[in-house]
Amino acid sequence: RNLDLIPEESVSYELGIRGRLPVGKDGSILADLAVFWNEFDHLIETAFVPSRSAFQFVNLTSARIRGAEATLESGVFGDRARVRVGYTFIDATDLDQDAPLAFRAKHQVNTSVEGDLIPILRAVLDFRFIS
């Protein structure tokens, strides 16, 4: 435990847009786009503390996490199935060390296909890539 921890403080901004784009005469794609920017003081992170030979929660003085996210979703086979593809880019930086924050993937891709096999049985297939 770390009795020296102090609460982290943050300011966050997010701007997004969501809309449905027509495809063909009956289809559509739901598009969701967002950008975000977070500034932290005293961000709590896990770090190796050599004097204790262990990992411990510690405060970073200052950090920034910013990025963008996009998701596309569409029905298939008369809306009996759904296909979803999403991408997230994150730039997470320890501003005091001018170094990337640990444990945060810069790129993430999520895909999902789901559909009804029979009226009471739904199947889902997910794939996730994390850099």
Side-chain angles (χ1 to χ4, degrees):
R1 83 188 152 158
N2 182 354
L3 299 177
D4 295 327
L5 278 179
I6 57 176
E8 63 186 24
E9 298 173 8
S10 68
V11 176
S12 300
Y13 305 94
E14 183 171 345
L15 177 65
I17 186 167
R18 186 174 192 179
R20 192 169 296 278
L21 310 168
V23 175
K25 68 177 184 175
D26 293 329
S28 67
I29 295 176
L30 179 64
D32 192 349
L33 307 168
V35 293
F36 53 90
W37 188 295
N38 305 294
E39 297 280 340
F40 295 90
D41 287 324
H42 315 296
L43 178 67
I44 298 173
E45 285 283 296
T46 304
F48 183 74
V49 179
S51 63
R52 292 184 171 237
S53 297
F55 285 90
Q56 184 176 29
F57 289 108
V58 298
N59 287 107
L60 301 180
T61 303
S62 163
R64 177 184 60 227
I65 300 173
R66 60 186 176 182
E69 185 171 55
T71 304
L72 299 174
E73 181 178 332
S74 182
V76 184
F77 305 119
D79 261 354
R80 288 191 347 233
R82 310 263 337 132
V83 176
R84 193 175 301 117
V85 178
Y87 171 74
T88 303
F89 170 78
I90 294 178
D91 175 32
T93 306
D94 177 338
L95 297 174
D96 295 327
Q97 302 293 321
D98 192 27
L101 288 173
F103 313 114
R104 289 181 174 80
K106 195 170 203 79
H107 304 278
Q108 182 173 322
V109 176
N110 294 302
T111 61
S112 177
V113 176
E114 64 181 73
D116 296 327
L117 298 177
I118 58 176
I120 60 168
L121 182 62
R122 181 178 264 304
V124 179
L125 176 64
D126 290 321
F127 173 78
R128 179 177 293 166
F129 168 81
I130 299 175
S131 68

